[in-house]
Amino acid sequence: MTTTKPAPAPQNSPAGRGVGDAIRNWWGGLSRPAQWGFGVPAVLVLAVLPLFKLPLLDTPGTSFGGVMAQFAMYALIAIGLNVVVGQAGLLDLGYVGFYAVGAYSVGLLTSPNSPWNQTNGGWLDPKWAWLACVPIAILLTAISGLILGTPTLRLRGDYLAIVTLGFGEIVRLLADNLPEITNGSLGLSRIQYPKLGESDSHPGGYFSSGNLGDTTSWNPLDRANSGTWWYWLGIVLVVGVLMLVGNLERSRVGRAWVAIREDEDAAEIMGVPTFKFKLWAFTIGAAIGGLSGALYAGQVQFINPAGFNVINSMLFLCAVVLGGQGNKLGVIVGAFLIVYLPNRFMSVNVGGQSLGDYKYLFFGLTLVVVMIFRPQGLFPARQKLLAYGRQVYRAVRRPVAAPATGAGQ
């Protein structure tokens, strides 16, 4: 009699993995239209969260819409830094410098305190000045990334980290010591923002800091305060940047980044022009940092050098490391934790001190714990083959039936 033994389940089968891996496998098995079908409603649900004060998510003592607007800005920063650190494996400790270049590009062109102001009789109309300055900020930060990366990307490891850290401090010190241009430590105020929806009820428009929102109205446009409007704008920018970076990851550029991150010497021996692709990563990451800086300048309408110190640069890097280097959605979760948790516990007092003021202590301890027990972050990247990866991955993981054995054998 002939019997057939079932093939043993592979050790790395989806059933033996965690919840995160199960979700990842389910998402990877969906077609692109199905992913859009699930993704678009999820984004819409996230968009309406600031309109209602949910007890478990609300931030007492501060506007939840403003917190979510800050999260959208940090998410952009985390995605841009993830291109440099997570995808290409370049340790950048001075990413705040690109963030500052983007913010000051908008501030110098639209603030009345700047000698380069172009909104008072210049070529910029205040109604669309911020929108016109965004591509300028992106271009200038991309150029600054190109200028910085050309001589320094031949360095590796700690040496590159020290150079980038110095760049971030140079930008901050220049902003602090050029009072005739940047107004020094006094900063630039009354920076322009999108003038959308100006009316008698909203004199400055929806994006004005004076828009507190009407919580009694069921019209989402009137109910949303200025922070919620900035959050919506940030979501649109995050989705656009995610699509751009995702397409790059699936292209030849993304495969080169992964090869450089895993072993730069081996990649170069195999014919990958490592310097060119590292420069690509540095320039693209800088451009995204400039976009987030422009968003920050328009949102707060005031910038000064104190907002671009090395501590903020460490927080940006913390979001990437905590969420998971190389995982786009993971670093967004990391950015949310960095922004939301301090604001959530701001109203909790321990010994007469707000618990949110201890955020640097808590994040430092969290990083120590994560590095010990989960060094790849909360959501580690699962790098599969990027060219025809889904088909190859399924073929390799398909279980093989054991050979039939007869009774007389």
Side-chain angles (χ1 to χ4, degrees), residues 295-350:
L295 191 67
Y296 168 74
Q299 179 182 341
V300 301
Q301 300 166 35
F302 171 78
I303 55 174
N304 67 347
F308 307 103
N309 53 35
V310 68
I311 298 298
N312 284 332
S313 192
M314 295 303 105
L315 280 179
F316 302 158
L317 187 61
C318 181
V320 174
V321 174
L322 185 62
Q325 301 179 46
N327 189 333
K328 300 186 299 297
L329 298 182
V331 300
I332 292 177
V333 174
F336 177 77
L337 297 177
I338 292 296
V339 173
Y340 175 75
L341 291 181
N343 287 283
R344 182 67 176 85
F345 295 107
M346 190 66 71
S347 60
V348 179
N349 292 321
V350 177

Side-chain angles (χ1 to χ4, degrees), residues 37-315:
F38 281 99
V40 171
V43 171
L44 293 178
V45 170
L46 292 176
V48 300
L49 283 180
L51 296 178
F52 306 97
K53 292 186 176 182
L54 301 179
L56 296 179
L57 288 178
D58 192 27
T59 52
T62 184
S63 169
F64 183 59
V67 172
M68 295 304 287
Q70 186 182 7
F71 153 65
M73 181 183 64
Y74 268 59
L76 275 177
I77 296 171
I79 295 170
L81 187 56
N82 184 58
V83 172
V84 180
V85 177
Q87 294 297 325
L90 307 173
L91 185 55
D92 187 352
L93 299 182
Y95 194 74
V96 72
F98 301 124
Y99 179 56
V101 171
Y104 270 95
S105 298
V106 176
L108 289 172
L109 291 175
T110 64
S111 171
N113 304 124
S114 168
W116 298 347
N117 178 29
Q118 298 296 321
T119 59
N120 187 15
W123 54 276
L124 287 176
D125 189 318
K127 291 186 177 181
W128 47 263
W130 181 86
L131 186 62
C133 288
V134 168
I136 297 175
I138 295 173
L139 179 62
L140 290 178
T141 47
I143 293 174
S144 66
L146 186 65
I147 293 174
L148 175 65
T150 300
T152 62
L153 285 180
R154 302 187 189 279
L155 302 173
R156 299 186 188 180
D158 299 338
Y159 302 101
L160 179 61
I162 293 171
V163 170
T164 55
L165 180 62
F167 167 74
E169 282 298 286
I170 288 171
V171 173
R172 184 185 66 83
L173 291 173
L174 283 175
D176 201 10
N177 291 279
L178 294 175
E180 65 278 3
I181 298 176
T182 64
N183 206 26
S185 59
L186 298 178
L188 301 174
S189 61
R190 290 180 288 169
I191 296 174
Q192 295 297 325
Y193 56 90
K195 301 294 179 64
L196 177 67
E198 291 180 312
S199 62
D200 294 336
S201 57
H202 299 93
Y206 292 132
F207 290 91
S208 170
S209 57
N211 178 20
L212 302 179
D214 184 4
T215 55
T216 62
S217 174
W218 286 99
N219 183 354
L221 302 183
D222 294 329
R223 189 181 182 89
N225 58 18
S226 60
T228 304
W229 277 95
W230 282 108
Y231 170 59
W232 289 344
L233 177 59
I235 283 183
V236 173
L237 295 177
V238 166
V239 171
V241 172
L242 281 177
M243 293 176 63
L244 171 64
V245 174
N247 287 331
L248 285 173
E249 287 181 2
R250 292 185 290 271
S251 69
R252 178 170 174 261
V253 177
R255 295 192 292 272
W257 286 344
V258 173
I260 293 170
R261 183 191 65 196
E262 298 301 325
D263 194 325
E264 185 175 344
D265 292 328
E268 194 163 2
I269 291 173
M270 295 302 294
V272 177
T274 56
F275 177 77
K276 183 182 77 172
F277 284 110
K278 287 195 297 183
L279 194 59
W280 265 105
F282 217 69
T283 305
I284 293 171
I288 299 174
L291 174 60
S292 60
L295 191 67
Y296 168 74
Q299 179 182 341
V300 301
Q301 300 166 35
F302 171 78
I303 55 174
N304 67 347
F308 307 103
N309 53 35
V310 68
I311 298 298
N312 284 332
S313 192
M314 295 303 105
L315 280 179

